[in-house]
Amino acid sequence: MDIYASPEDLASWIPAGTSSDVITRNLRYASIAVARACNRNLYSGDTSFPPPLVDATCAQVGSWVSLGIDPSKLGLDQAPVKKSSILGGDVERDTTGLLAAFQEAVTCLCQAATDILLQANLLWQPVPLFDDSGCLPSWGQDRPGMFPGLFAAETDWPFV
């Protein structure tokens, strides 16, 4: 599996003294998140990556480190304790909005990584098959003169 950034690339994005285990693990998870957002194959065998992929990966790791999130735990380690028992050994975690926010921080790209990929036109976004009217988008084919010879007049358009 390709990892888009190296620990050296990450050095300026995170505080000094961050554990090398955390760096390695987070780089792997961030590379997966960036690849998913860009619709890229992580197993391509590439040896060099465009700078926006490197920067977006570093931004994502920086976000996780600053928030204290471990992506391998899917944010579940951040859920506040709602109830605990000493002798029974029970611990119940609160599964409300705070947990959902941490899980979103793990599964979605941070704003900086998203902005980097958008600026580089690398962020994959699906093309909608239907517009608000429920019809297939025409991409200008319904405008006379847009595609000369396609339709002689508006009455030739089959859906008028």
Side-chain angles (χ1 to χ4, degrees), residues 19-128:
S19 165
S20 62
D21 292 341
V22 169
I23 290 172
T24 304
R25 179 182 63 239
N26 286 359
L27 281 172
R28 181 173 291 117
Y29 278 99
S31 294
I32 292 168
V34 168
R36 183 178 60 238
C38 296
N39 200 27
R40 292 180 60 99
N41 181 0
L42 268 175
Y43 299 96
S44 64
D46 292 339
T47 56
S48 63
F49 304 104
L53 290 179
V54 175
D55 290 343
T57 303
C58 291
Q60 186 65 40
V61 172
S63 172
W64 286 336
V65 169
S66 67
L67 293 172
I69 292 175
D70 181 354
S72 66
K73 296 180 181 174
L74 298 176
L76 297 175
D77 59 326
Q78 299 295 328
V81 175
K82 183 176 177 181
K83 174 183 155 185
S84 67
S85 303
I86 295 175
L87 295 176
D90 295 337
V91 174
E92 185 178 335
R93 299 230 180 232
D94 188 6
T95 58
T96 57
L98 185 59
L99 177 61
F102 278 111
Q103 287 177 326
E104 183 178 340
V106 170
T107 57
C108 299
L109 288 181
C110 69
Q111 191 62 50
T114 301
D115 291 343
I116 290 166
L117 294 174
L118 279 172
Q119 287 293 321
N121 290 323
L122 291 174
L123 192 62
W124 180 79
Q125 296 179 355
V127 175

Side-chain angles (χ1 to χ4, degrees), residues 124-147:
W124 180 79
Q125 296 179 355
V127 175
L129 293 180
F130 295 94
D131 61 8
D132 292 342
S133 68
C135 299
L136 284 172
S138 61
W139 291 290
Q141 293 178 7
D142 55 344
R143 296 187 197 126
M146 190 68 144
F147 295 94

